[in-house]
Amino acid sequence: MLFQPAIIALLLASAVSVLMLAAAAPFALQLVRHWDIRSGSERQLQLERRTYLMSTLLSFVFATQLLALLLFVFNADKMSVMFVGAMCAVGTLNANEFGFPALISQIGVFFLAAAWLVVNHADSRAYDYPLVRVKYLLLLGMLPFVALAFGLQLEYFLNLKADVITSCCGSLFSGEAKTLTGDASAMAPQQAMILFYSALALVIVAALFNVRQPRGGYLVAGLSGIAFVAAMIGIVSFVSLYVYEHPHHHCPFCLLKPEYDYQGYWLYLPLFSATASGLGVGALQPFARIPSLATIVPQLARRLSWITALGFALFTAVATFMIWNSNLILLEG
Amino acid sequence: MKIWIQKQQALIDFTLASLARRKLKNAGLLLVYTLIVFLLASVMLYTSALRHDAAAVLKNSPEVIVQRMVAGRHDLIPPGYLEKLGRIRGVQKKEGRLWGYYYDPVVKANYTLMVPMAEAPGAEKVADANIVVGAAVARERGLVPGNLISFRSYSGKLFSFTVADVLPHAAELVSADLILLSEADYRAFFEIPAGHYTDIALSVANPQEVRKIASKLSEALPDSRPILREEVLRTYESIFNWREGIVLVLLSGSILAFAIFAWEKASGLSAEEKREIGILKAIGWETGDVLKMKFWEGVLVSLTAFLLGYIAAYLHVFSFSAALFEPVLKGWAVLYPRFELTPVVDGFQIATLFFFTVFPYTVATIVPIWRAAITDPDAVMRG
């Protein structure tokens, strides 16, 4: 199944990203070892110049990863016609055991990349580049993840054989399935709703609090992560039901389809950007005490906390509106 | 925020002016870039339109077709077979179909002879000794309604038919080689006794029951072969995707060449350009600003090339029938239908195309741009 245009495009993008990061790794090591802002030596000058290349390269790689995530989901949805029993992205991703790991690793890389970009932004605004070492160490730490995402994707596409009988979202997300996604949808809507709204309320409050007093970075980041998971569970277990107006259709991907007026984008765009900036707040927190960042970090953290609070609030509002607007009655009373 | 936007506006303004100053060099790059986008977009638009049309054509075909197999070959349905099928829950209608191929030595091509289903449009025109012909047949044999035409059957007898009508051009994709005739004529022409059929068509209302019905069929009639519409569709989808992928892989050589070309263009800075960057840095631009300017340059060039190439490809495919790629992507036949493709454009396709063109361009230009951006002002101005 390699000769599908979108698959070629995705593999090309991932492979080039891995190659670029791998090519950057020796330079990153050099930077970590020899960086000395006070020195005026030739090497230091060269390293300083190289940082420009590195941050451009990495911003590009990470922007690519974001686009690739979108294309990956689109592609899975498009290919569903080629698999017996697959009606949307779930069926395609389920066609072999690498589908969902590939998607999850892609999402993971996306969030890591976003956090890195936030740190990079803070660093480039300080006059003495205090985070260069940290940044490039982090980069070296991320390389395996990007490579893993590429490997999973390659494995997934190589093992993809058209015509395999896969399960449609109807059976996967039904209560009997003994998978994580099955558990998520099997959760009673009432419980899921409590979890959903309380996690979102907590993260919004924490983010707003952080706007006033930017000290709770880790809290915001942790809560963002929890809220992201709770939001996904909520989408699978009840929001999607209200959108489809069908008590057993738990699919988180069909929301993105034209049949449902692309409503999913209204959910996923705020959710992903809010989570990414929430994690970014946490990534900044350890550097608040560095003197040259003393004014920059709180300022940036404030702004990101705003985005987090607004994003999650928008997400909650959209989800609530969908429930409100639906003709389905899931909970009585 | 406002300041940021103003800054970007100023940068774009400057970039445009700077691009315009080196018209010839940039025009060359733009031309090659546009050509690449045009080639790839043509392939993608064409295959996606073919896929779309195949799906549209199959939409009206029966959900299940049952063929009888004898020694692994397709055979006629004997009398009593339809009854043996019995009533299968979920099947709305079952009907025996009569069709076959006839080789016409005059045009050296095969026609499909078919008895129209009772309620099919145009069926009332097919009286005994009358035929309705497809557009390609009419074209090849120079037929108009009212003409008389004779065919020598496989048994050697000569049969004459009056052409009652020519099928509309709009349906040519499916009916190019089609000849519709009445059941009595068909049976006489091919000498097929009453009660026999070529195959059986089943209509199923609920698409989710199709597979169940197919498995019931093969249980009840082990010598039958059910062909499902969704399987046909899936196969078309795979084939066209595969063809598209192969062509794209073949074109990957040109993408690589283009990336090398872009790299060369971006790294071979003229003395004038170098001086420009040197002066900019001397008057206070930072390396980051030069990078931003180059970034906007890339965006502008890519967007222009992408739009131009895509529009050209659209015209090529939908107005000029993709003259360049037709032989590879369409397949061939003696009586090939002439058809216009329905324009289909989707975001997914554009995103894929983006990865094939803008992505390699950007990858190829990052390092040269950085090299240009770190130029020392004094080194340039002294040199």
Side-chain angles (χ1 to χ4, degrees), chain A residues 247-277:
Chain A
H248 295 293
H249 192 183
H250 287 285
C251 181
F253 298 105
C254 293
L255 284 167
L256 296 166
K257 286 189 170 190
E259 292 96 293
Y260 302 104
D261 301 326
Y262 304 105
Q263 291 181 42
Y265 290 97
W266 288 99
L267 287 174
Y268 291 124
L269 284 181
L271 178 62
F272 273 76
S273 34
T275 311
S277 43

Side-chain angles (χ1 to χ4, degrees), chain B residues 37-38 41-43 45-46 307-322 341-346 349:
Chain B
V37 176
F38 165 75
S42 295
V43 175
L45 281 172
Y46 192 62
L307 274 179
L308 286 179
Y310 200 80
I311 292 170
Y314 187 92
L315 291 177
H316 170 222
V317 171
F318 297 119
S319 306
F320 300 99
S321 325
L341 293 162
T342 333
V344 198
V345 172
D346 65 36
Q349 197 186 65

Side-chain angles (χ1 to χ4, degrees), chain B residues 48-64:
Chain B
S48 102
L50 279 181
R51 241 178 330 212
H52 201 261
D53 272 12
V57 162
L58 284 171
K59 210 169 69 193
N60 296 320
S61 78
E63 281 79 8
V64 185

Side-chain angles (χ1 to χ4, degrees), chain A:
Chain A
M1 288 281 287
L2 280 184
F3 285 120
Q4 308 280 337
I7 293 181
I8 303 175
L10 278 171
L11 289 178
L12 180 81
S14 298
V16 169
S17 298
V18 174
L19 277 181
M20 282 173 120
L21 285 186
F27 296 115
L29 259 180
Q30 218 182 358
L31 271 165
V32 172
R33 281 175 57 195
H34 301 298
W35 181 263
D36 178 11
I37 191 75
R38 281 159 305 174
S39 154
S41 69
E42 183 126 358
R43 180 162 67 194
Q44 174 61 20
L45 207 64
Q46 242 172 22
L47 290 180
E48 273 173 35
R49 281 179 177 168
R50 206 159 274 157
T51 53
Y52 280 107
L53 176 63
M54 302 285 266
S55 44
T56 317
L57 210 78
L58 291 167
S59 315
F60 173 69
V61 167
F62 295 148
T64 308
Q65 291 295 329
L66 168 63
L67 270 179
L69 176 62
L70 275 176
L71 193 66
F72 189 78
V73 175
F74 272 149
N75 180 49
D77 192 46
K78 279 268 163 169
M79 286 203 311
S80 58
V81 265
M82 283 191 256
F83 300 96
V84 176
M87 294 182 109
C88 66
V90 174
T92 320
L93 290 174
N94 226 29
N96 68 40
E97 63 271 37
F98 295 106
F100 273 104
L103 176 68
I104 292 168
S105 67
Q106 188 83 40
I107 293 177
V109 166
F110 166 67
F111 283 134
L112 282 177
W116 193 91
L117 286 174
V118 168
V119 173
N120 182 43
H121 184 67
D123 179 54
S124 62
R125 288 192 40 199
Y127 63 89
D128 59 349
Y129 303 110
L131 301 180
V132 163
R133 281 221 169 79
V134 181
K135 240 165 52 178
Y136 290 105
L137 273 177
L138 282 177
L139 163 69
L140 290 173
M142 279 173 68
L143 182 57
F145 286 101
V146 180
L148 176 76
F150 170 62
L152 283 172
Q153 234 179 55
L154 188 67
E155 223 23 61
Y156 169 57
F157 288 131
L158 279 177
N159 289 316
L160 211 52
K161 303 264 184 307
D163 280 352
V164 206
I165 295 187
T166 75
S167 52
C168 149
C169 43
S171 55
L172 176 68
F173 289 103
S174 68
E176 297 91 49
K178 284 280 167 273
T179 57
L180 188 65
T181 35
D183 289 341
S185 56
M187 190 183 258
Q190 212 151 3
Q191 273 177 326
M193 267 188 205
I194 292 169
L195 177 72
F196 181 83
Y197 280 109
S198 48
L200 285 167
L202 272 178
V203 73
I204 293 170
V205 170
L208 284 176
F209 192 72
N210 210 43
V211 171
R212 286 178 58 113
Q213 204 77 42
R215 280 200 200 125
Y218 298 127
L219 186 70
V220 174
L223 284 175
S224 295
I226 294 171
F228 180 75
V229 176
M232 288 320 269
I233 292 177
I235 288 175
V236 170
S237 84
F238 65 92
V239 178
S240 56
L241 301 187
Y242 281 110
V243 175
Y244 308 133
E245 300 187 345
H246 184 300
H248 295 293
H249 192 183
H250 287 285
C251 181
F253 298 105
C254 293
L255 284 167
L256 296 166
K257 286 189 170 190
E259 292 96 293
Y260 302 104
D261 301 326
Y262 304 105
Q263 291 181 42
Y265 290 97
W266 288 99
L267 287 174
Y268 291 124
L269 284 181
L271 178 62
F272 273 76
S273 34
T275 311
S277 43
L279 294 175
V281 176
L284 282 179
Q285 187 68 19
F287 313 118
R289 281 158 200 253
I290 293 172
S292 59
L293 289 172
T295 52
I296 296 167
V297 164
Q299 201 187 357
L300 205 58
R302 248 187 212 123
R303 203 174 285 169
L304 287 173
S305 302
W306 256 124
I307 299 177
T308 312
L310 282 179
F312 277 120
L314 182 63
F315 170 76
T316 319
V318 170
T320 312
F321 175 76
M322 283 172 173
I323 295 169
W324 193 263
N325 219 19
S326 168
N327 294 317
L328 180 79
I329 298 166
L330 205 57
L331 303 173
E332 276 187 275

Side-chain angles (χ1 to χ4, degrees), chain A residues 3-6 8-9 12-13 16-17 20 46 49-53 56-57 60 64 67-68 71 74-75 78 81-85 87 162-163 165, chain B residues 44 208 211 230 234 237-238 241-246 248-249 286-288 291 346 348 351-352 354-356 359-360 362-363 366-367 370 374-376:
Chain A
F3 285 120
Q4 308 280 337
I8 303 175
L12 180 81
V16 169
S17 298
M20 282 173 120
Q46 242 172 22
R49 281 179 177 168
R50 206 159 274 157
T51 53
Y52 280 107
L53 176 63
T56 317
L57 210 78
F60 173 69
T64 308
L67 270 179
L71 193 66
F74 272 149
N75 180 49
K78 279 268 163 169
V81 265
M82 283 191 256
F83 300 96
V84 176
M87 294 182 109
D163 280 352
I165 295 187
Chain B
M44 288 186 166
Q208 301 194 332
R211 301 202 64 78
E230 53 173 274
R234 200 161 56 233
E237 183 84 12
S238 294
N241 275 355
W242 182 80
R243 280 190 183 175
E244 184 181 354
I246 291 281
L248 288 181
V249 167
E286 281 178 39
T287 308
L291 280 176
D346 65 36
F348 174 68
T352 312
F354 180 86
F355 268 103
F356 274 108
F359 181 73
T362 318
V363 172
I366 281 186
V367 173
W370 165 73
I374 56 163
T375 323
D376 268 337

